């Protein structure tokens, strides 16, 4: 299995597992919490069939990557992505993030610029700022995140069931948009994640991405369901779109948070159409 080393912890390397398939213009897919690159399978198949070089990787702490006890913040996550982009010598790439993975997309462009990137896609985004603050009254109350972390400490596996229920709007979509088997597969992938990484990621969700947004000079596609029960649409995608002069928003009516699985056809069409559009001139 291919790995890229992004650091060390004591005597052990911090290795990220990645997959790099196909040829053509590269598309880098960054998964959501608490899953791994395998959850992109409904998207990667179509990208490969359409002639794109398709790259997935597992965030530190998740999937087949190393599980260090530190580095679960977006400056570190973006630095990890930069190592991947540099080691693979990618150019003219499209970055696609889902949920937690949208943070890597936005912070990478904010910290490292768009020299290697021609466009970006954020699905069910965290941005612009999820947590409520004096200058962000539209956000979610901080007590909710403390509740998540308390639940993870008490029983991470029970929390994971609650998360998957919200991820798929399972009571509504079971047997329709998601099978029991697909639900169980996502739960199992999430159970493999680092306990420390799972806990610390909740703090990362509360980071402020607003300073990154003016630095983004490539076309940005935002796709989100208006029944997202993990990252509420009015707090995230609906607010993000007007802040992005290079952005366009597609709202999926009635869709939950886990749209790369439940609404894969819509996601694939949106991404393919977006990548066929001519790139805008950069500021």
């Amino acid at each position: 299995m291919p790995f890229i080393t992004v650091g060390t912890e004591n005597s052990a390397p911090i290795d990220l597992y990645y997959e790099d398939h196909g040829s053509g213009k590269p598309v880098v897919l960054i998964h959501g919490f608490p899953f791994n690159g395998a959850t992109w399978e409904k998207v990667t198949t179509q990208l490969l069939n359409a002639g794109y070089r398709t790259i997935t990787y597992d965030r530190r702490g998740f999937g087949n990557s190393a599980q260090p006890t530190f580095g679960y913040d977006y400056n570190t996550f973006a630095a990890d992505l930069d190592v991947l982009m540099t080691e693979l010598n990618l150019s003219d790439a499209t970055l696609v993030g889902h949920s937690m993975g949208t943070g890597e997309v936005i912070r990478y462009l904010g910290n490292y610029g768009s020299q290697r990137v021609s466009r970006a896609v954020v699905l069910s985004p965290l941005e612009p700022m999820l947590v409520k603050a004096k200058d962000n009254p539209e956000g979610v109350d901080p007590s909710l995140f403390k509740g998540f972390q308390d639940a993870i400490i008490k029983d991470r596996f029970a929390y994971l069931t609650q998360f998957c229920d919200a991820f798929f709007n399972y009571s509504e979509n079971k047997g329709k948009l998601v099978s029991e088997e697909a639900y169980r597969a996502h739960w199992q992938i999430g159970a493999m994640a680092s306990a420390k990484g799972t806990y610390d990621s909740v703090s990362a969700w509360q980071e402020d991405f607003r300073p990154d947004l003016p630095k983004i000079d490539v076309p940005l596609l935002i796709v989100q369901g208006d029944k997202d029960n993990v990252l509420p649409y009015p707090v995230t995608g609906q607010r993000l779109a007007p802040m992005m002069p290079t952005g366009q928003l597609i709202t999926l009516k009635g869709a939950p948070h886990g749209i790369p699985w439940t609404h894969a056809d819509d996601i694939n069409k949106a991404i393919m159409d977006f990548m066929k559009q001519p790139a805008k001139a950069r500021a």
Side-chain angles (χ1 to χ4, degrees):
M1 296 194 297
F3 290 91
I4 285 178
T5 300
V6 295
T8 59
E9 182 179 24
N10 296 334
S11 61
I14 301 172
D15 291 334
L16 299 187
Y17 171 75
Y18 71 98
E19 295 190 10
D20 182 0
H21 302 293
S23 59
K25 289 186 177 181
V27 182
V28 181
L29 298 139
I30 309 164
H31 64 83
F33 169 93
F35 305 121
N36 69 9
T39 54
W40 285 111
E41 67 176 71
K42 288 190 174 185
V43 178
T44 55
T45 299
Q46 295 304 314
L47 287 171
L48 287 168
N49 289 343
Y52 291 97
R53 178 182 176 185
T54 305
I55 299 155
T56 62
Y57 71 97
D58 297 349
R59 180 184 295 106
R60 65 168 61 206
F62 298 88
N64 292 309
S65 290
Q67 298 191 358
T69 58
F70 66 92
Y72 298 100
D73 63 89
Y74 275 105
N75 282 336
T76 303
F77 294 147
D80 290 349
L81 174 57
D82 183 58
V83 173
L84 178 84
M85 300 284 284
T86 302
E87 289 288 323
L88 298 183
N89 194 25
L90 301 181
S91 61
D92 197 19
T94 298
L95 297 181
V96 182
H98 174 239
S99 184
M100 187 173 175
T102 65
E104 274 99 334
V105 172
I106 300 300
R107 184 58 54 79
Y108 174 86
L109 290 170
N111 285 1
Y112 298 96
S114 58
Q115 180 180 357
R116 296 183 178 276
V117 179
S118 60
R119 64 191 73 231
V121 181
V122 292
L123 311 174
S124 310
L126 280 170
E127 300 75 27
M129 182 179 178
L130 190 58
V131 68
K132 182 180 289 185
K134 287 183 179 179
D135 65 345
N136 191 51
E138 305 91 340
V140 176
D141 193 276
S143 64
L144 184 68
F145 302 98
K146 182 181 184 303
F148 291 157
Q149 290 183 313
D150 289 346
I152 291 167
I153 289 292
K154 181 179 179 181
D155 188 335
R156 180 167 65 94
F157 305 108
Y159 166 79
L160 185 55
T161 296
Q162 296 170 3
F163 181 83
C164 287
D165 286 347
F167 185 85
F168 290 117
N169 293 1
Y170 193 53
S171 61
E172 177 183 344
N173 295 321
K174 177 182 178 181
K176 301 171 185 175
L177 299 178
V178 59
S179 65
E180 181 180 348
E181 292 81 3
Y183 177 103
R184 290 202 309 265
H186 280 76
W187 188 96
Q188 182 62 43
I189 291 170
M192 294 166 53
S194 157
K196 182 72 161 52
T198 301
Y199 179 92
D200 287 356
S201 290
V202 178
S203 296
W205 303 344
Q206 301 172 63
E207 293 188 29
D208 186 357
F209 294 93
R210 291 173 297 178
D212 300 296
L213 302 181
K215 302 174 186 178
I216 297 175
D217 60 356
V218 296
L220 179 73
L221 174 66
I222 305 159
V223 187
Q224 188 169 16
D226 63 3
K227 291 187 73 173
D228 189 328
N229 285 326
V230 175
L231 299 175
Y233 174 74
V235 177
T236 54
Q238 193 173 46
R239 289 178 60 211
L240 177 62
M243 297 180 180
M244 300 304 303
T246 63
Q248 64 182 89
L249 172 65
I250 296 176
T251 303
L252 300 180
K253 298 297 182 182
H257 185 69
I259 50 178
W261 188 270
T262 62
H263 288 68
D265 289 344
D266 295 311
I267 296 303
N268 287 326
K269 184 179 187 308
I271 293 173
M272 299 288 185
D273 289 347
F274 179 62
M275 291 194 297
K276 291 174 184 174
Q277 295 174 13
K280 298 175 183 176
R282 303 187 183 188

